């Protein structure tokens, strides 16, 4: 019970920077009960691949809409917290010929992100929103899977788009050979649309009785 309350409080905090008129979705009891699972992952959790669902085969969502789709089903966009899970997901992108997907990864750049341990945000501010786990510093290349290159030939994350007149690259996607660089993590502006992967989230399932 206490952990569920803490998760609700954390969600409220992380939601503070959402665009006006948009919100973080709560689990839906009916959707949770009939959610689809395409495969069990190496961690034993169920995974949903948007492109394998007939209704979403060609659908692409922005980062928040992808996350909300997952959340309504008591799932979350994937958090690649172990090398085993990361490689497992990458294998499926290659097998299914999927160019890119969203993860739950996000750069902390809103109120409260000026803590010394999160600065500079580009290096130390990345975290998995689904689990609220902080990523290793982006400069520790052996502790993450950031690509060695991107749209301007710099190691990821490079926050490229603002340098070219675009939006901040605050969200984490996995790209499959997009820059002929293999399958790796990239920072991407959150408004871009992509397929996505959901993974079962026990904490969200436990929240259902309190929300409904």
């Amino acid at each position: 019970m206490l952990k569920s309350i803490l998760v609700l409080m954390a969600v409220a905090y992380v939601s503070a920077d959402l665009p006006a008129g948009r919100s973080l979705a709560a689990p839906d009891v009916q959707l949770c009960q009939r959610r689809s699972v395409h495969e069990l992952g190496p961690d034993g959790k169920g995974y949903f691949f948007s492109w394998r669902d007939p209704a979403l085969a060609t659908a692409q969502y922005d980062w928040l809409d992808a996350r909300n789709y997952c959340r309504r089903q008591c799932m979350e966009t994937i958090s690649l917290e172990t090398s085993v899970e990361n490689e497992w997901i990458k294998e499926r992108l290659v097998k299914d010929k999927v160019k890119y997907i969203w993860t739950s990864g996000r750069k902390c750049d809103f109120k409260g992100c000026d803590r010394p341990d999160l600065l500079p945000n580009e290096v130390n501010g990345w975290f998995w929103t689904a689990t609220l786990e902080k990523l290793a510093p982006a400069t520790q290349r052996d502790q993450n899977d950031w690509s060695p290159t991107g749209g301007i030939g710099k190691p990821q994350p490079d926050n490229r788009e603002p340098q070219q007149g675009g939006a901040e690259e605050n969200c984490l996607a996995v790209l499959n050979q997009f820059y002929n660089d293999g399958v790796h993590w990239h920072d991407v502006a959150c408004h871009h649309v992509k397929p996505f992967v959901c993974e079962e989230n026990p904490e969200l399932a436990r929240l259902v009785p309190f929300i409904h």
Side-chain angles (χ1 to χ4, degrees), residues 179-206:
Y179 296 104
N180 296 316
D181 58 334
V183 188
H184 294 292
W185 301 355
H186 287 256
D187 58 330
V188 178
C190 306
H191 70 271
H192 287 289
V193 294
K194 303 184 185 305
F196 53 93
V197 177
C198 306
E199 63 180 329
E200 290 180 319
N201 187 291
E203 285 302 322
L204 285 180
R206 283 193 282 270

Side-chain angles (χ1 to χ4, degrees), residues 147-175:
S147 175
T149 190
I152 54 176
K154 292 184 177 180
Q156 302 297 291
D158 63 355
N159 205 28
R160 170 183 60 86
E161 288 199 41
Q163 302 171 50
Q164 300 175 326
E168 294 285 325
E169 295 190 330
N170 291 335
C171 292
L172 196 160
V174 181
L175 274 55

Side-chain angles (χ1 to χ4, degrees), residues 14-118:
V14 173
S15 302
D17 71 321
L18 293 180
R22 304 189 70 186
S23 60
L24 201 57
D28 181 290
V29 63
Q30 293 185 343
L31 293 178
C32 289
Q33 290 173 346
R34 62 172 187 262
R35 66 176 177 268
S36 297
V37 169
H38 293 127
E39 286 192 59
L40 293 180
D43 53 6
K45 289 185 292 188
Y47 286 76
F48 170 89
F49 302 89
S50 67
W51 58 91
R52 295 185 186 176
D53 186 289
L56 297 177
T58 60
Q60 299 192 44
Y61 293 170
D62 68 21
W63 183 86
L64 180 58
D65 283 344
R67 191 176 177 206
N68 279 343
Y69 182 94
C70 297
R71 287 178 59 83
R72 291 187 184 98
Q73 337 252 339
C74 288
M75 306 179 88
E76 264 282 10
T77 37
I78 54 168
S79 300
L80 301 173
E81 297 172 288
T82 68
S83 58
V84 172
E85 181 183 20
N86 187 54
E87 293 303 315
W88 186 80
I89 288 294
K90 289 165 60 172
E91 287 171 3
R92 273 128 191 91
L93 298 193
V94 172
K95 176 184 175 183
D96 293 349
K97 297 185 171 86
V98 176
K99 291 192 298 183
Y100 35 57
I101 57 166
W102 282 127
T103 73
S104 78
R106 180 75 159 79
K107 182 171 65 180
C108 192
D109 67 333
F110 40 90
K111 184 178 179 181
C113 295
D114 55 353
R115 286 178 4 204
D117 64 310
L118 297 175

